[in-house]
């Protein structure tokens, strides 16, 4: 019943990290998806800017930035390019931070990235994230169901 109510009300769901720390994931909002798209665009443009070398001419810089800006406008969380960027640790950390910041305002993107480097935390976070956003059933918050499945294999 609790899992059903969480899906209906958009309530936060628990996530217990490998070290026992408990966090709460909230569903993404429309504003969050807008922030994801803005993050993707900024990531593309920053990657282009970071590719400049001292010998890159102004004309090359202008052309590369123009291409990057065109790509940034077309890239959203729903496009293949957006999904690929979000599948990176920085991308996952940003999206998880959006869900975590509502109930843990002290968390930062770098701190979430640090937590997700732990494979067990990453798996647990992905499961709970899917659930709170209506993409899957509620896992056990501490990952015990997944551990049981792995032992059966």
């Amino acid at each position: 019943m609790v899992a059903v109510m969480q899906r209906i009300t958009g309530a936060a769901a628990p996530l217990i990290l490998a070290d026992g720390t408990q966090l709460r994931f909230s569903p993404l909002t429309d504003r969050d998806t807008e922030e994801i798209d803005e993050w993707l665009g900024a990531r593309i443009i920053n990657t282009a800017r970071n590719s400049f070398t001292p010998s890159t001419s102004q004309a090359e810089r202008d052309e590369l930035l123009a291409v990057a800006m065109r790509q940034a406008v077309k890239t959203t969380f729903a496009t293949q390019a957006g999904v690929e960027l979000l599948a990176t640790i920085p991308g996952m950390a940003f999206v998880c931070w959006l869900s975590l910041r509502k109930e843990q305002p002290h968390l930062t993107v770098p701190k979430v990235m640090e937590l997700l480097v732990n494979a067990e935390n990453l798996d647990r976070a992905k499961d709970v994230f899917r659930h709170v956003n209506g993409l899957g059933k509620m896992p056990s918050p501490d990952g015990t169901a997944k551990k049981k499945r792995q032992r059966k294999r």
Side-chain angles (χ1 to χ4, degrees):
M1 182 66 170
V2 171
V4 172
M5 290 306 294
Q6 287 171 332
R7 286 187 91 172
I8 292 171
T9 64
L15 166 68
I16 300 173
L17 300 175
D19 68 0
T21 302
Q22 183 167 335
L23 301 173
R24 296 189 56 77
F25 263 88
S26 297
L28 292 175
T29 64
D30 290 342
R31 178 63 193 133
D32 292 331
T33 59
E34 291 171 10
E35 285 188 59
I36 291 169
D37 291 346
E38 291 167 7
W39 182 87
L40 290 166
R43 189 91 175 168
I44 291 166
I45 292 167
N46 286 337
T47 299
R49 283 190 177 130
N50 291 337
S51 71
F52 299 154
T53 64
S55 63
T56 305
S57 71
Q58 188 60 48
E60 291 171 320
R61 289 170 189 259
D62 293 344
E63 178 60 24
L64 185 55
L65 278 177
V67 170
M69 286 183 199
R70 284 192 299 271
Q71 184 62 39
V73 169
K74 295 188 304 187
T75 303
T76 70
F77 73 95
T79 63
Q80 184 62 36
V83 169
E84 289 171 6
L85 279 171
L86 293 173
T88 64
I89 292 290
M92 287 186 274
F94 181 74
V95 173
C96 287
W97 172 76
L98 290 172
S99 286
L100 291 166
R101 71 180 176 172
K102 294 168 181 85
E103 297 214 19
Q104 292 88 199
H106 64 281
L107 281 178
T108 62
V109 175
K111 178 61 178 170
V112 173
M113 192 177 322
E114 182 182 311
L115 295 171
L116 295 182
V117 170
N118 176 306
E120 192 173 339
N121 288 343
L122 179 59
D123 286 343
R124 291 176 185 188
K126 285 194 272 189
D127 288 345
V128 176
F129 181 84
R130 283 186 198 106
H131 166 70
V132 298
N133 289 291
L135 304 171
K137 64 181 181 165
M138 180 62 185
S140 56
D142 64 357
T144 54
K146 185 171 271 192
K147 288 177 188 171
K148 287 178 187 174
R149 284 194 308 266
Q150 289 172 346
R151 280 191 292 235
K152 286 183 180 179
R153 292 181 186 162

